[in-house]
Structure formats: C-alpha cells, structure tokens
Amino acid sequence: MTTFSGRRTRVLAATTATAGLVLVAACTSSGDGGSGSKTAAGGVRLVKAGQLTTCTHLPYPPFQSEIDGKVQGFDVSMIDLVAKDLGVKQQILDTPFENFKTGAFLNSGECDLAAAGMTITAERKKNVDFSDPYFDATQALLVDKNSGITSLADAKAKKVKIGAQAQTTGEDYAKKQGFDPVSFESSDAVLNGLRTGQVKAVVIDYPVVQGWLKDKANADAFKLAGQINTGEQYGFTVKKGNTELLAAINKAIKNAKADGTYKKLYEKWIGPYDAAAASPSAS
C-alpha cells in the first residue's frame, strides 16, 4: 500500500466484470499523472488514456471489496458496463471516504468518477454531479443477539452505545436520533466493532448487513433488530460539469435495467431481486 499526500491509496487494475479485477502495485501522483486527458467513445474525456479511473473506498461489500485478491462487487460490475461502452478498462483507486463528499480526487484529476455506495444528498450535490439513482438503500440496526435490544428506540432508552461508519448518512441519522455514535473508518471496522464488543449495536446500510449475515457464524451471534427507511438512493459521481461522462453512466444504468443485466448483477451481489431497487424515482 502506498501513501499519497498523507492518505492511503491503492491502484487496482480492472478487466471485464466476468474476468474480475487484478491487484497491481502503482503510485499515484497529483493531476493526471502526466498522461494528459484522453478522449473515449462518445467524446468522453478521461484522465488517463485507455482506462476509466474509479475512486472508491474499500472495503464496502457487497458493492466493492477484495475477494480472492480481486476487487469485485455490485458497483464494480455496474461501472464495468460504462467502461465497456467507452471501449476502455476500469481501474480502481482506493481512497478515504471523506473525499467523496468534497469531490477532491475528481477535481484534482485523480479519478474520472466515484463509486462507493454513496447516498445522493443536497449537500453533496454542491460539490459533485450525481448520476441517476441506481440503488434504493435503507439503513439497518444490527445488534448482538444477547443484547436484548429490539429497536432503535429501545437502544436509546437503554442508553446503548452504538456504532456507525464515519462521514456516512448512517452516522448522520444516528446523531439526529440523539445518539453519540462511535465512529469507525469503514464498514468492516463497524462490524468488527460490534463483533469485538466495542459497541452493542450499529447503524449501517442494510445491503451490507444482508451480506454479513450470510456467514453462519455471524448469523448465530448477531441479528437484524430493524430496518430504517430513510429514503436514501445511491448514485455515482463525476466532477461538476462533466456532462459527457455523466450521460454515459446514466445510459449504462438505463440499459442495464432494461435488458435484465441489472437484475442479474443484483441477484449475484445483493440477494433476491427487489424491483423497487430499479425504480427511476428521483432522489
């Protein structure tokens, strides 16, 4: 793992969705790395020739995480569709989550887009342009089975210490409900905090919980104490004003929903398909 301006980064070269992703060692540099902006199909300008560079934050299963040495997941597969349309390969750069709210790596020319299971919010729209919603998301309250916690209100009444991922809408929601959540750097860290007893409950995105409870050991020790419908929707982001790339992303999302590809990817990475996830409703 290399460092960049005091922040950890890793470059992961992507092949097609079916072939997966291969980890490669590389260092990032400011700007466009000296390669110059290049033009792909449809007049889309890219920060590096021959590749669609995606900023993400690992791990965040089932949207993006390393599996058998390869970065895979629902977001990865969706952006592979965009890259295929542009006639290039996807390459993934692992960056701190807080940069997604500011659009820092988009503005500096490190990445073409960001894909990190990111909720569309009015505040974030001030710094980046969002794609059409590609996933309807809810929050979940996950608890230790021995905690006796039955709901978020119950956790509050019992003054239970809860956890959440820093800089996320889950953390924001918990604070609005009167909690002072323990902040963890990643979704994996949140779940490890629960597993090790640092907290007795966590507020975290429901798809993450779905994947985590597939493991029998986790399901034996922890349970879903409730879903919280916050009306959240995920979107991919680009630098403000990058209309060509935004149009290419929206086209790929639309086509995937129309031809059944979205459903297949959803069932592969998320679970039983929920038609509401493909809803065209606005955020």
Side-chain angles (χ1 to χ4, degrees):
M1 185 177 295
T2 59
T3 58
F4 171 77
S5 299
R7 292 173 291 191
R8 65 183 182 83
T9 60
R10 286 181 294 176
V11 177
L12 303 131
T15 58
T16 64
T18 55
L21 302 174
V22 181
L23 179 66
V24 298
C27 292
T28 61
S29 60
S30 60
D32 59 14
S35 63
S37 295
K38 305 298 179 182
T39 305
V44 175
R45 303 283 285 179
L46 302 174
V47 298
K48 291 186 179 180
Q51 68 182 52
L52 182 64
T53 309
T54 302
C55 270
T56 194
H57 179 63
L58 300 170
Y60 187 60
F63 295 91
Q64 52 270 321
S65 61
E66 287 188 44
I67 304 172
D68 298 327
K70 301 176 182 179
V71 178
Q72 304 178 62
F74 186 73
D75 280 3
V76 177
S77 296
M78 289 295 292
I79 298 303
D80 270 338
L81 300 177
V82 181
K84 182 179 179 181
D85 288 345
L86 297 179
V88 297
K89 301 288 186 180
Q90 179 183 185
Q91 183 162 298
I92 296 176
L93 182 66
D94 183 18
T95 68
F97 188 80
E98 57 265 23
N99 98 79
F100 299 115
K101 299 173 73 173
T102 64
F105 275 35
L106 299 175
N107 293 332
S108 66
E110 295 295 326
C111 300
D112 295 299
L113 65 101
M118 186 160 61
T119 300
I120 301 169
T121 69
E123 185 64 27
R124 293 172 180 174
K125 283 182 178 180
K126 295 176 182 178
N127 300 314
V128 296
D129 285 342
F130 276 93
S131 70
D132 292 337
Y134 71 92
F135 189 85
D136 286 348
T138 59
Q139 296 290 328
L141 180 67
L142 185 67
V143 303
D144 187 303
K145 280 190 173 180
N146 295 322
S147 68
I149 300 168
T150 59
S151 67
L152 196 62
D154 185 40
K156 187 174 183 179
K158 293 176 178 176
K159 297 182 180 180
V160 171
K161 199 67 175 177
I162 69 171
Q165 184 178 347
Q167 305 291 322
T168 64
T169 52
E171 182 183 55
D172 291 343
Y173 183 83
K175 289 179 178 178
K176 288 178 181 178
Q177 301 307 307
F179 290 94
D180 181 20
V182 176
S183 294
F184 294 92
E185 195 252 355
S186 69
S187 61
D188 265 14
V190 174
L191 297 171
N192 283 333
L194 180 63
R195 183 186 285 115
T196 58
Q198 296 177 59
V199 293
K200 291 297 182 182
V202 297
V203 174
I204 192 168
D205 289 4
Y206 178 58
V208 175
V209 172
Q210 282 182 291
W212 201 64
L213 291 181
K214 287 180 180 178
D215 185 296
K216 186 178 185 301
N218 293 334
D220 287 343
F222 306 95
K223 67 177 182 179
L224 179 69
Q227 281 184 254
I228 307 164
N229 187 358
T230 57
E232 294 179 44
Q233 291 181 304
Y234 291 165
F236 303 118
T237 62
V238 301
K239 181 179 179 180
K240 289 195 76 68
N242 192 348
T243 56
E244 292 83 5
L245 180 54
L246 195 64
I249 295 171
N250 287 339
K251 180 181 177 182
I253 294 171
K254 181 180 180 180
N255 288 346
K257 290 178 178 179
D259 65 15
T261 301
Y262 184 97
K263 181 176 184 290
K264 290 178 181 178
L265 294 178
Y266 190 99
E267 291 175 338
K268 177 180 180 179
W269 295 112
I270 310 297
Y273 180 67
D274 179 359
S279 170
S281 60
S283 173

